[in-house]
Amino acid sequence: MSKNLADKLGKGLEPQQFIDRMTKNQDKFLDWSNRFEWTSDDDRDFFESLSNRDDLRCLILAADWCGDVVRNVPVVFRALENSGIPVEVLIMEEHTDTMDQFLTMGGRSIPVVIFTDTGGFVLGQWGPRPKHVQEVMIQFKQANPDRNAPDYEENIKVARTEMMAQYGEGTGYHAVIVKELRDLISTF
């Protein structure tokens, strides 16, 4: 059975409301947003062409304390800002029922970018991070299934350092997110 989030449409924060209400990491969030640039006219044209469609909605499970939200959601906001797709943010802690429908490897990882039709039926999802960055976490979880293992904390620090290296120093990962979103949206 397909997931339906009709009861969540209209219940989230608009992107600017989310930004305005941030109590953590707002400066970093805005910095990533301000540094966004289209690296491909074709990608920009694709997202702008979505304004001809009125059948899509976007819900983003997020929280301002999360580093992946701070890095990735500004890119999602900017990619979708001229698409005509209504975008709403659902604060994870206020929507745990929805969060628990979109677990990543059994855990609550954010952001989760969810695309639905106007009736709330889920068409696809992206997140919590670009695939090449997520691969590091997948490998970590496979190698470290026991959260209570004596070396778990040490190993996750190594994995997080590697994830940051995969993101890179600059904004190159922005184009990766844009491509992954475009590829996803192109399927519906």
Side-chain angles (χ1 to χ4, degrees):
M1 186 172 152
S2 177
K3 294 177 186 171
N4 186 298
L5 299 176
D7 62 324
K8 296 296 179 175
L9 295 176
K11 301 286 192 299
L13 301 172
E14 292 179 9
Q16 191 60 52
Q17 289 175 309
F18 174 72
I19 294 167
D20 291 345
R21 293 182 187 185
M22 291 180 83
T23 59
K24 296 180 177 85
N25 299 312
Q26 186 183 55
D27 289 343
K28 288 180 187 171
F29 189 99
L30 291 171
D31 181 53
W32 286 117
S33 180
N34 291 333
R35 293 170 62 192
F36 177 85
E37 292 181 13
W38 290 103
T39 58
S40 160
D41 291 341
D42 192 44
D43 285 339
R44 184 182 61 240
D45 293 346
F46 170 82
F47 281 92
E48 288 177 359
S49 78
L50 295 172
S51 64
N52 294 322
R53 295 181 63 174
D54 63 359
D55 61 326
L56 299 175
R57 303 292 180 266
C58 179
L59 297 170
I60 303 173
L61 285 159
D64 63 0
W65 51 262
C66 176
D68 288 308
V69 167
V70 171
R71 277 186 166 265
N72 300 334
V73 171
V75 180
V76 176
F77 282 177
R78 294 294 304 275
L80 295 176
E81 71 185 347
N82 293 318
S83 70
I85 299 174
V87 177
E88 298 177 62
V89 178
L90 301 174
I91 305 300
M92 182 186 78
E93 292 85 355
E94 297 170 13
H95 297 274
T96 54
D97 58 325
T98 304
M99 181 74 248
D100 289 344
Q101 294 179 56
F102 295 92
L103 300 177
T104 302
M105 296 182 297
R108 290 179 174 172
S109 297
I110 51 177
V112 179
V113 179
I114 306 160
F115 292 95
T116 74
D117 63 15
T118 55
F121 286 98
V122 175
L123 302 171
Q125 71 184 70
W126 179 91
R129 50 189 72 92
K131 286 182 180 83
H132 73 284
V133 179
Q134 182 63 12
E135 273 303 313
V136 176
M137 184 55 72
I138 290 169
Q139 290 172 3
F140 166 78
K141 293 266 187 166
Q142 290 170 343
N144 298 275
D146 181 5
R147 293 181 72 102
N148 297 316
D151 60 349
Y152 184 89
E153 287 302 317
E154 180 181 324
N155 291 344
I156 197 162
K157 285 179 186 172
V158 171
R160 287 183 176 137
T161 299
E162 178 57 26
M163 286 191 330
M164 292 308 292
Q166 290 296 320
Y167 271 118
E169 291 296 319
T171 59
Y173 75 95
H174 288 189
V176 174
I177 293 174
V178 167
K179 181 186 181 330
E180 290 179 3
L181 289 172
R182 179 178 178 171
D183 289 349
L184 175 63
I185 293 169
S186 294
T187 66
F188 38 83

